[in-house]
Amino acid sequence: MTRQALQDIQHGEGDVYAISERLLEELEASNRIEAMAQSRVIAITSLVLGCFVMLLAAHAFWVKAQGLDSVDHPVMTMLSGLFLFGVAAYIRNKQEYSRETARRLTTLACVVYFTVFISNDYVGYYTLPGFVIILHIFAPPKTALFFSLFSAVFGCALVLYPTQTVETAILLRILIDCVIAMVMLQVTLRQRIRLNKVAQWVAGQLTTMVRGLKSDLDVATLASEMASKIDRQTGLLNGAAFEEALKRELDLRSTGRPAAIINLRLEHAEDFLAPFDDEDRELFLLSVVNTLAGILQPTPMARLAKWEFAGILNLDTSGQNFSEQVSQRLARLQQPLIFNKRRLPLYPRIGVAFWPQATDNAKRLALCAEIAQKAAGDMRRTDPVFFEPAMEALVLDRVNITQSIDRAMENNEFVLYYQPIISTQRGPIHKTEALIRWIDPQRGMISPAEFIPLAESYGKINELTKWVMTKAVQQVRLWRAQIRPNFQVSVNVPPSFLEWFAENRPEGLTWLMALKCPRNGVVIEITEGAFLNVTPEILTVVRIFRAWGVEVALDDFGVGYSSFGQLDRLPLDYIKLDKALVDHIETTPTKLAICRTIISLAHELQLRVVAEGVETMNQALLLSDARCDYLQGFVYSKPLPPAGFEKFVAAWTDKAQDLEFDDED
């Protein structure tokens, strides 16, 4: 079994820890077998000698019964035999004893025997075999063997040179006892040697195995450390490892050899990759990495996030300034990437920090490049943005705003403003759009353009969306009771909220049911970009909202990713013309023609159209003539708090009644 276990380890079969436990159990078993074998041999020796002595005692009693003289004392001989039987029984049952106990008993036996021998040599000669047996029972093997040999030699000497004190029969008995004891001792020693060899072999194999395990553990630890520093998909360093590599790289550089630290983030990558499967996405990622490697090699590169990378760019100190060098080297990233016979724009946001101009600290240098990259994102620039100290204050301000969002929700600092949506049929107002505002106690009104992108970036947008929906539903219930039974509020819903709902459908359904939205009381406005290559899961979420009485509007239609071919398959109720399409419509005939076409097509698809960003009466009249259903913009009203909106509605209603407008709704 032991050999099989070790063979399993050598061939890499089985659980090495289970095999180790099995080997240890076998080693313990061999030790137990050794102890039991030793005790068994001693017990058998004592039993054999006891039987021999009892035969002598019986012979002595028979001789005495015949009236003859015997060399053996019957009673003493019988007691010796009984003693040996008792020793055999004790060892057979006990089987184990401590070394300390053996040492004490051996010392005691030696003291008693030599005391008896000195006081009465006849008794000493007579009890010598019993003393040797006791030594065999308790003394170490070498000590017992020594006394056995001594007794044998001493007995032979007495036989060859007899004395008047000891009869020849007693001497012969001593020799027989010693020979039996030595034979049994040799059997014991041989068995012990064999068991020791087994134990040593097992221990040696265990030692080899443990060393192998340690070597494997060292290799596994090294592999784990490497894995913790490497991005699995690309083989690039991760963020922590890049900081270490950057520090080593800068330590090796002289101050006369400058470098640029690059922080790159690709925007909209997920949007363009939506039609591709996982394998193609992986290949696109590797294509980006290879493109970046061609620019930065042989310096270290890292993948900081899904579409965020970092690297070091060596600079030439001869002639050309550093900014121009970096711009020329990174110009390749501003060009579309040819992938699967398609031109995919990368939309890079590139931050650059120069070493040693920005700082001589590696960690801070990487942070400076990241700050510049965030500034590039804010400015929507695809060319490199170089770090400046003033950028740090802006980033710190962004961080403070982000941390304040949670506090603002707890302290009810967010409010909803409402912008009227006017029907071109000139009826009373029954539609509005809810727009979130943040009134900070220290900073005052904070623009949504400032905190909404931060909320999206730092994962707060879903909480804000839920809050807006909850407040909007409460408000529409109130206004349906106070203003009109069919009053309706529109709410902007970001794509990330739909993705969250799709991934957490049970939780989303629970929230939607608890919302208790009145039927057709809320319209969710979804940006057109969210429907670019829309997934079946997102479509399912939109259909769920419609099933619960929520209408759906396609926001910002007419620019960006416009696709008329998708309108027939999207579950929509409204289309909202983007402000960019409405601007200057009165002076741009092509824009007016586009608006008329979109409105006509929407009506053919049984969709209603809302034009947002209407700022002049000429725009309003042209859109009304084009049969646009609803208008929204500053020409009528800016977003108002609830009380101001109610006053505007009341004034508009009075005006509509004075003009006797028809209310077809």
Side-chain angles (χ1 to χ4, degrees):
M1 181 177 176
T2 303
R3 293 185 183 275
Q4 181 61 42
L6 292 169
Q7 288 175 1
D8 290 344
I9 293 176
Q10 292 173 355
H11 292 88
E13 299 175 358
D15 185 351
V16 68
Y17 297 103
I19 295 173
S20 303
E21 291 179 359
R22 209 164 71 199
L23 287 172
L24 290 173
E25 288 176 0
E26 289 189 19
L27 183 59
E28 292 176 359
S30 68
N31 291 333
R32 287 196 299 270
I33 290 171
E34 178 187 359
M36 293 173 63
Q38 181 181 359
S39 299
R40 190 179 298 112
V41 170
I42 293 173
I44 293 173
T45 302
S46 301
L47 184 62
V48 170
L49 289 177
C51 292
F52 176 71
V53 172
M54 290 302 290
L55 288 174
L56 292 177
H59 179 264
F61 277 113
W62 180 81
V63 170
K64 192 170 184 180
Q66 297 297 323
L68 303 174
D69 293 331
S70 173
V71 296
D72 288 318
H73 191 284
V75 176
M76 186 175 242
T77 303
M78 185 181 68
L79 292 176
S80 299
L82 293 174
F83 169 75
L84 292 172
F85 284 149
V87 169
Y90 173 79
I91 296 298
R92 181 69 180 83
N93 295 326
K94 188 70 174 176
Q95 293 188 348
E96 294 181 7
Y97 48 85
S98 66
R99 289 186 177 182
E100 184 65 22
T101 300
R103 186 182 64 79
R104 290 177 181 176
L105 290 175
T106 302
T107 303
L108 179 61
C110 291
V111 171
V112 171
Y113 175 75
F114 285 111
T115 301
V116 170
F117 189 86
I118 292 172
S119 61
N120 190 329
D121 58 348
Y122 179 82
V123 176
Y125 291 134
Y126 193 85
T127 57
L128 180 59
F131 171 66
V132 173
I133 291 172
I134 292 174
L135 290 180
H136 277 295
I137 295 173
F138 296 111
K142 292 182 180 180
T143 303
L145 181 60
F146 170 76
F147 275 103
S148 296
L149 292 173
F150 173 77
S151 301
V153 172
F154 184 66
C156 290
L158 290 177
V159 171
L160 295 175
Y161 305 99
T163 64
Q164 297 297 323
T165 307
V166 182
E167 293 87 348
T168 302
I170 294 176
L171 296 176
L172 290 174
R173 211 185 87 196
I174 291 173
L175 288 175
I176 293 171
D177 290 350
C178 291
V179 168
I180 293 174
M182 284 190 289
V183 170
M184 301 306 292
L185 177 64
Q186 288 301 314
V187 173
T188 303
L189 288 176
R190 286 179 179 276
Q191 191 168 17
R192 172 176 288 184
I193 291 171
R194 182 179 65 80
L195 292 172
N196 281 339
K197 286 183 178 180
V198 173
Q200 289 173 4
W201 181 78
V202 172
Q205 296 296 333
L206 281 173
T207 302
T208 303
M209 184 183 69
V210 169
R211 287 175 181 169
L213 285 175
K214 185 178 183 302
S215 176
D216 292 343
L217 181 61
D218 291 341
V219 172
T221 301
L222 180 61
S224 177
E225 290 177 356
M226 291 296 294
S228 66
K229 296 180 179 180
I230 300 296
D231 176 67
R232 182 182 59 82
Q233 283 185 295
T234 62
L236 301 179
L237 300 174
N238 59 22
F242 178 71
E243 285 186 7
E244 297 176 4
L246 178 60
K247 185 178 185 304
R248 289 194 300 269
E249 181 79 11
L250 297 182
D251 288 342
L252 295 174
R253 289 173 178 264
S254 63
T255 54
R257 189 185 177 193
I261 311 306
I262 311 298
N263 188 292
L264 165 70
R265 178 171 57 86
L266 301 181
E267 284 193 352
H268 307 306
E270 288 298 322
D271 293 336
F272 291 108
L273 291 177
F276 299 113
D277 57 23
D278 292 339
E279 184 177 353
D280 285 338
R281 287 167 178 257
E282 191 89 7
L283 291 175
F284 177 80
L285 174 63
L286 294 179
S287 297
V288 171
V289 170
N290 290 335
T291 301
L292 192 60
I295 298 172
L296 300 179
Q297 278 186 349
T299 55
M301 293 171 51
R303 186 188 188 195
L304 306 180
K306 190 170 185 179
W307 295 106
E308 186 173 344
F309 307 90
I312 306 171
L313 188 62
N314 291 321
L315 299 175
D316 184 6
T317 57
S318 60
Q320 195 176 38
N321 67 54
F322 296 158
S323 299
E324 290 180 356
Q325 288 186 49
V326 172
S327 297
Q328 289 180 5
R329 295 281 297 276
L330 298 180
R332 172 70 186 85
L333 297 173
Q334 297 174 253
Q335 302 172 10
L337 183 68
I338 307 301
F339 181 73
N340 278 4
K341 300 180 180 180
R342 297 178 63 177
R343 294 169 58 86
L344 299 181
L346 296 179
Y347 290 109
R349 307 303 181 205
I350 307 171
V352 181
F354 291 115
W355 181 86
Q357 289 89 334
T359 176
D360 58 357
N361 181 276
K363 185 173 183 178
R364 173 151 178 77
L365 193 62
L367 178 62
C368 291
E370 182 181 358
I371 290 173
Q373 180 257 105
K374 293 184 182 300
D378 291 341
M379 292 184 281
R380 296 291 186 265
R381 285 173 54 179
T382 59
D383 58 319
V385 172
F386 302 97
F387 173 77
E388 296 177 2
M391 295 178 180
E392 198 163 3
L394 296 175
V395 172
L396 182 61
D397 194 39
R398 289 179 56 174
V399 172
N400 290 335
I401 290 176
T402 303
Q403 294 175 345
S404 299
I405 289 177
D406 289 333
R407 185 210 68 215
M409 292 188 69
E410 294 176 0
N411 298 339
N412 295 320
E413 295 175 12
F414 289 110
V415 296
L416 288 185
Y417 275 42
Y418 299 89
Q419 186 173 33
I421 298 176
I422 308 299
S423 172
T424 56
Q425 301 300 317
R426 307 179 68 85
I429 295 173
H430 66 279
K431 285 177 65 66
T432 184
E433 181 178 0
L435 300 168
I436 189 170
R437 296 291 185 266
W438 182 1
I439 304 177
D440 184 90
Q442 283 77 37
R443 302 180 58 188
M445 182 77 74
I446 300 176
S447 170
E450 189 174 353
F451 68 84
I452 291 295
L454 294 178
E456 291 178 341
S457 300
Y458 292 92
K460 304 291 184 182
I461 193 64
N462 291 340
E463 296 178 32
L464 283 179
T465 302
K466 290 181 183 179
W467 182 87
V468 171
M469 287 281 287
T470 302
K471 292 296 183 182
V473 168
Q474 293 174 357
Q475 192 65 65
V476 79
R477 287 183 178 279
L478 179 64
W479 283 341
R480 281 198 165 193
Q482 293 179 351
I483 300 176
R484 286 180 65 85
N486 64 340
F487 205 90
Q488 190 177 63
V489 176
S490 297
V491 176
N492 287 287
V493 173
S496 59
F497 182 78
L498 300 178
E499 293 171 1
W500 168 83
F501 199 107
E503 294 173 0
N504 304 273
R505 190 179 298 181
E507 182 181 350
L509 286 171
T510 301
W511 169 80
L512 186 58
M513 288 188 288
L515 195 62
K516 296 181 179 179
C517 181
R519 189 159 194 82
N520 300 330
V522 173
V523 178
I524 56 172
E525 297 185 1
I526 304 172
T527 57
E528 187 180 6
F531 283 116
L532 178 68
N533 301 309
V534 64
T535 63
E537 291 78 13
I538 297 299
L539 286 177
T540 300
V541 171
V542 175
R543 291 190 179 100
I544 288 173
F545 272 95
R546 294 192 78 199
W548 281 87
V550 177
E551 295 189 336
V552 181
L554 182 60
D555 200 8
D556 302 333
F557 189 82
V559 295
Y561 313 106
S562 297
S563 176
F564 294 101
Q566 293 197 85
L567 291 179
D568 63 334
R569 70 184 189 91
L570 298 179
L572 301 174
D573 299 284
Y574 294 89
I575 287 177
K576 294 196 73 173
L577 295 180
D578 188 83
K579 182 180 185 300
L581 197 58
V582 174
D583 283 345
H584 309 296
I585 193 175
E586 65 272 33
T587 59
T588 310
T590 54
K591 281 191 174 184
L592 179 59
I594 292 172
C595 288
R596 285 174 174 169
T597 301
I598 293 174
I599 294 168
S600 176
L601 176 63
H603 288 166
E604 289 292 330
L605 297 174
Q606 305 299 315
L607 302 176
R608 287 158 287 178
V609 181
V610 180
E612 58 183 348
V614 181
E615 296 183 350
T616 68
M617 285 305 301
N618 285 336
Q619 293 174 356
L621 291 172
L622 289 172
L623 290 167
S624 296
D625 291 341
R627 298 177 58 214
C628 185
D629 299 286
Y630 296 97
L631 306 177
Q632 176 183 353
F634 283 2
V635 67
Y636 296 113
S637 173
K638 64 180 181 179
L640 301 168
F645 179 81
E646 291 173 1
K647 291 180 180 178
F648 178 86
V649 170
W652 184 271
T653 302
D654 293 341
K655 181 179 177 181
Q657 289 175 350
D658 292 341
L659 296 176
E660 296 182 354
F661 291 142
D662 295 330
D663 179 13
E664 297 184 3
D665 294 311

